[in-house]
Amino acid sequence: MKQTIPPKYVDRYDVAGAPSYCPLHGKSSVRQLKQGEDESYIGTGPRPILGTTQQAVIADALTNAAALWDLSLTNVTANTGHGNALSDQSDAAHVIAQNYSQPYSTAVCVPDRMTNVSDMRKVALPILLNANSRDLANGNLSYHGHLKMHVAETIEHPDLLYHQLLDTSGNGTKYRLRWIELREDLFKGSSIGAAILLPRTEDDAEQDLILCNVAAGWGQSSINVHSRNGAIGMLDDRMHKGNFSGPKKDVPPMKLSNSIIPESNMNQDDWFTFQYPTYPQQIINISESWAQYLNPALEGLDTSLINILMQQQLFPGQQYVSAAWILTMLAANGLARTSWDSLEQGEVKTVGPNGEYGLDGNYWLSGKGDAFIVDPAESQDWVSFRVHSTLGGYAYNTLTVPPRIAIAILTAYCLLVVGHTLYHAVTGISSNCWDTIAEVTALAMNSTPTTALRNTCAGITELHIFKLPVRILVSKDEEGEGEHLELVFGRVEDEKMEERTIKANRKHGTLPRGVTLEGKKDE
């Protein structure tokens, strides 16, 4: 896949930055792990990294709902025969827009060094300004960043000394990760700290390390997936800013409908942010024991996940930046996999005593009921979500005012046309001119003979005579400057046609000289 290197990465690192998202495969879904820099950050230290991804169990459930939707569409007809499919190639969007939250994480890291193995200094972690208040900072740390020295504000850990970090388990010649639990009163807004020890030999008296501050929480969001041409795509999400509210128990489990999501529920941002306490709405504290699951030891390889990831050198020469991206990813994905092995509950409604006719698409998509049949008593403690499904295509509806006005205008026009047609069918009159046989005969006698009718002197025996086009056009009088109207058969050249066309509000026809309308000669 061809990528364009963003200019900001070329200018800052001389390397391509990480992609804005990468796919994460679940049991039946493909989620997006989104990461990026906090562009709103203003400070002297490194820029925090942001990360988020959809909950794995909800992503799988929504993907399964999309699959059921497609199957139901193939079993929808206008009758109960379930013979012809409505569509098996339709495009549809499926969204959970209410009572859904997903993990958002952020991290910042700075490099540091222990000059000896008995360093008695207290460990100081960099402040995370999009989660911590600047008032919590009680120190500074100078470090060598890209091409110059930088200064980061820090918060001192009261119970952890530098030399104690050397007790971190693992092979000292490889990257090692030590999770650090944080006191809420000193690190309000943070979830957990981390120290990454860089590879060193036993003879080396110095130890290079990376100190990190990580925050994570649950933010209200919407999750969506699209199905196109029968294939279900990758999930996406949008964050919702507002007050946090837990799931409502009165929402039926796995309720699906084909209604469009109200715009009031889709107040979303294109990207995501981390601005505690505004968003995410619920910050969490992560224990060291739980965090250990984020860095599993890889059996048979004598290494750990953090060693494999740090060796990739996402940002060569700036390992502390790579560490922030990695820890953000581990925290977001770890939280997203909470209860990942949960399954949808209930039975899918089918047609036939034994379900031999497949899913009951007519029952489901017509809004009569749910796709799942559940026991009300058994489902009281289930976590339920409402899925809004929208089928893409062309259709007519009367949901808004413009279609109703258009229908009213078209109906009035149709009534006018029908009434006009019936009137002329009954009266035989379609115009105020030439509405009698005598008038038409007079017009024909006053017209110039045409060669198109030369073979009709003794009668008409050929049908093509009736197919000849006939027009009423203007003709100049042979005497005087007047003009009259006459019947013209056959094709007329365009130039003559324009000259001879009847003009509105213009008098036609002349009288013999000296004769008035009363039939008397002028004296």
Side-chain angles (χ1 to χ4, degrees), residues 385-462:
F385 296 93
R386 182 179 295 272
V387 179
H388 297 267
S389 298
T390 304
L391 180 64
Y394 297 99
Y396 295 97
N397 65 73
T398 58
L399 299 178
T400 57
V401 175
R404 297 174 183 176
I405 296 177
I407 292 175
I409 294 175
L410 290 175
T411 302
Y413 179 77
C414 292
L415 293 175
L416 178 63
V417 172
V418 171
H420 185 75
T421 303
L422 292 176
Y423 171 78
H424 293 300
V426 173
T427 63
I429 299 175
S430 61
S431 174
N432 291 330
C433 301
W434 310 295
D435 53 359
T436 65
I437 296 177
E439 290 180 346
V440 176
T441 303
L443 179 64
M445 296 176 66
N446 198 34
S447 300
T448 304
T450 174
T451 58
L453 299 179
R454 283 183 176 178
N455 62 335
T456 61
C457 296
I460 300 175
T461 59
E462 297 182 1

Side-chain angles (χ1 to χ4, degrees), residues 133-322:
S133 170
R134 179 162 264 146
D135 297 336
L136 297 176
N138 52 21
N140 294 302
L141 174 65
S142 299
Y143 66 96
H144 191 278
H146 182 62
L147 303 179
K148 62 180 181 179
M149 293 298 296
H150 297 271
V151 177
E153 297 178 275
T154 59
I155 305 174
E156 189 177 82
H157 195 291
D159 305 320
L160 183 63
L161 304 179
Y162 271 85
H163 74 88
Q164 294 175 318
L165 296 177
L166 296 174
D167 298 332
T168 302
S169 61
N171 190 335
T173 62
K174 300 179 179 180
Y175 291 93
R176 293 177 293 163
L177 173 60
R178 166 76 176 268
W179 296 106
I180 304 172
E181 291 191 12
L182 306 176
R183 284 174 46 177
E184 185 176 356
D185 57 334
L186 299 179
F187 293 86
K188 185 177 181 180
S190 297
S191 298
I192 197 169
I196 299 177
L197 283 69
L198 275 60
R200 63 183 282 268
T201 63
E202 295 181 359
D203 299 334
D204 194 347
E206 296 182 342
Q207 172 66 63
D208 291 320
L209 67 158
I210 300 172
L211 300 174
C212 304
N213 189 350
V214 182
W218 296 96
Q220 286 185 328
S221 309
S222 66
I223 180 174
N224 64 82
V225 68
H226 289 75
S227 56
R228 294 182 176 90
N229 297 326
I232 300 175
M234 185 182 301
L235 287 108
D236 198 3
D237 61 83
R238 293 290 186 274
M239 68 178 189
H240 289 193
K241 293 183 178 180
N243 297 325
F244 181 81
S245 60
K248 298 179 181 179
K249 291 186 177 181
D250 58 349
V251 179
M254 291 300 295
K255 171 73 176 181
L256 285 93
S257 73
N258 57 355
S259 60
I260 300 176
I261 305 168
E263 292 187 4
S264 59
N265 295 332
M266 299 297 288
N267 182 18
Q268 307 166 339
D269 295 86
D270 291 335
W271 192 234
F272 61 96
T273 186
F274 200 110
Q275 291 294 334
Y276 177 77
T278 303
Y279 195 87
Q281 292 91 348
Q282 189 178 39
I283 296 293
I284 62 173
N285 292 322
I286 298 177
S287 65
E288 182 179 348
S289 58
W290 186 89
Q292 294 294 346
Y293 292 101
L294 304 180
N295 181 38
L298 305 181
E299 298 181 3
L301 299 179
D302 187 27
T303 187
S304 62
L305 179 61
I306 193 66
N307 181 60
I308 297 296
L309 295 176
M310 288 296 296
Q311 285 180 347
Q312 304 305 311
Q313 298 290 323
L314 298 179
F315 298 90
Q318 292 183 292
Q319 297 192 77
Y320 65 95
V321 179
S322 301

Side-chain angles (χ1 to χ4, degrees), residues 453 466-473 486-491:
L453 299 179
F466 297 98
K467 297 181 180 180
L468 291 175
V470 60
R471 300 175 178 85
I472 299 178
L473 299 177
E486 65 179 19
L487 292 174
V488 177
F489 286 83
R491 184 178 178 276

